[in-house]
Amino acid sequence: MSRGQGRRLVPSYLAPGGSSAPTRNSLQALTVLIATGLTASPHHTPAQQRMLDLTAKGPLTVAESASYLRLPMGVCKILASQLVDDGHLMARAPLKGLPDGIRTPGAERPAKSLLERVRDGLLAL
């Protein structure tokens, strides 16, 4: 086996530092995580520090962070909820399923003309 493909040195259930459930039940796979700019605290686990490093480069969904961190989705929800509680991350609901009148900044639907141009370009391939 090449480096990085073997068994994890630390089991994934230890990544959240002993927590077994997220403090927020509102996090979904497509919830967008946005860094607030605060640096990691000494009490954060290495997995939380890696999540902060990833989101510092740009917003990520919970599913994307799970993929990058190579951790189960449930573990990433726990990590993200702890970081949201600490003020290190902001969580934005996915666009689908929002009640009428509530809009998430940066998650607007693209214009119909743009989608038509993309479709036409793909058909031309």
Side-chain angles (χ1 to χ4, degrees):
M1 269 186 250
S2 65
R3 186 173 186 211
Q5 293 179 345
R7 188 171 164 206
R8 296 181 63 88
L9 294 176
V10 176
S12 59
Y13 61 84
L14 292 178
S19 297
S20 61
T23 56
R24 303 167 177 271
N25 62 357
S26 60
L27 295 180
Q28 303 169 13
L30 296 179
T31 299
V32 178
L33 303 173
I34 304 164
T36 61
L38 296 176
T39 57
S41 301
H43 71 276
H44 287 133
T45 65
Q48 288 172 321
Q49 292 173 0
R50 290 195 327 263
M51 184 177 281
L52 287 174
D53 291 342
L54 286 172
T55 54
K57 298 174 186 172
L60 288 177
T61 64
V62 174
E64 289 171 324
S65 64
S67 176
Y68 282 121
L69 296 174
R70 297 180 61 207
L71 290 171
M73 183 80 66
V75 172
C76 280
K77 286 181 182 181
I78 295 170
L79 295 173
S81 67
Q82 291 169 341
L83 290 169
V84 169
D85 291 344
D86 289 347
H88 288 79
L89 289 180
M90 291 187 303
R92 297 286 181 239
L95 184 60
K96 182 180 177 186
L98 287 177
D100 289 337
I102 296 178
R103 293 284 173 232
T104 302
E108 292 82 22
R109 295 179 191 262
K112 183 178 179 183
S113 61
L114 173 64
L115 294 175
E116 289 171 347
R117 289 193 325 231
V118 170
R119 180 199 61 202
D120 293 344
L122 289 172
L123 290 173
L125 292 176

